[in-house]
Amino acid sequence: MNTLASKVVLVTGASRGIGAAVAHKLAAEGAKVIINYAGGKEAADQTVNSIKQQGGDAIALQADVSKADEVAAMFDAAIAHYSKIDVLVNNAGIMITKLIKDTTDEDFTRQFEINVRGTFNTMREAATKLANGGSIINFSSTTTRVMMPTYATYVATKGAVEQLTRVFAKEVGARGINVNTVSPGPTNTELFTKGKPQEIIDRLASLSAFNRIGEPEDIAKIVTFLANDDAKWISAQNIGANGAMA
Ligand code: NDP
């Protein structure tokens, strides 16, 4: 059964990683999907083509989520193409891991601009432009529950996303929109694996009850459930998706 057959979904940062897996899964459930990307046009086009080859419907739209004007233009272009947006998945994010003493002003600003302002920008557009009865799924991280050195700034951005979610859920509930956060544990994408020795990956894998790290598809299934009307009564929650890591 195509559970999302009538839905239009905007997934930020869907050119690769978890966002691309989310886009594929939502399309497989029948949703029309807007693949947002910042710089990776080729990867975004590949995601669109692969969805279309599997019988799905998708378009790619470029916008740096940290830029309010680009986000507004993306919402308008998506609505012009598909007539509406039902579901917003705020997946785009970056991670810079450094001890606080080594974190530069630029490291700090970049992470807050993309992870926090990016989520804020899309939610502000969604406040008036998302269809009644829609859903919003924001992305935090299990790192907000596990205090690991070098993650302070990243965790601060994700903590802010969790709080934005809790308040926004109360602001848009009257329109039938539910808003939740998903907090993945270590997941097999470039963001997590780049520059990490295998022994560190294995050690983090051992912290899950299943002795493995997550795959993007593990997270995509949870996002798909939250995008479904059956999950409507879940709102303002932070769902850990980490195999019992924390
Ligand atoms: P990746 O680095 O694999 O992919 C990041 C995606 O975000 C890319 O599609 C990238 O597009 C996009 N992106 C980056 N900056 C911007 C921007 N300014 N505007 C629009 N899009 C942008 O990351 P993951 O898939 O691993 O992470 C996805 C989300 O999950 C993030 O929010 C991350 O914090 C969170 N997360 C990930 C975990 C993990 O272990 N992987 C664990 C916990 C949370 P482009 O290439 O075009 O720039």
Side-chain angles (χ1 to χ4, degrees), residues 12-19 36-41 43 63-66 90-95 110 114-115 139-143 154 158 182-192:
T12 67
S15 51
R16 55 194 168 86
I18 295 171
N36 160 254
Y37 66 98
K41 180 174 177 1
D64 177 342
V65 293
S66 70
N90 269 317
N91 161 84
I94 61 162
M95 179 174 80
R110 235 184 117 229
I114 295 173
N115 296 357
F139 267 69
S140 178
S141 165
T142 293
T143 52
Y154 177 69
K158 293 302 191 180
V182 169
S183 286
T187 306
N188 190 12
T189 69
E190 195 180 321
L191 177 142
F192 171 68

Side-chain angles (χ1 to χ4, degrees), residues 114-190:
I114 295 173
N115 296 357
V116 184
R117 192 187 294 280
T119 301
F120 169 81
N121 281 338
T122 57
M123 290 200 307
R124 187 167 56 184
E125 291 299 313
T128 53
K129 295 178 183 169
L130 206 75
N132 286 348
S135 303
I136 300 176
I137 298 108
N138 292 330
F139 267 69
S140 178
S141 165
T142 293
T143 52
T144 63
R145 305 176 184 186
V146 193
M147 300 309 135
M148 296 191 290
T150 74
Y151 283 79
T153 315
Y154 177 69
V155 161
T157 68
K158 293 302 191 180
V161 169
E162 291 173 15
Q163 293 301 80
L164 285 168
T165 302
R166 292 183 179 111
V167 175
F168 197 55
K170 297 284 180 79
E171 294 184 1
V172 291
R175 290 214 293 120
I177 297 171
N178 60 329
V179 191
N180 290 294
T181 306
V182 169
S183 286
T187 306
N188 190 12
T189 69
E190 195 180 321

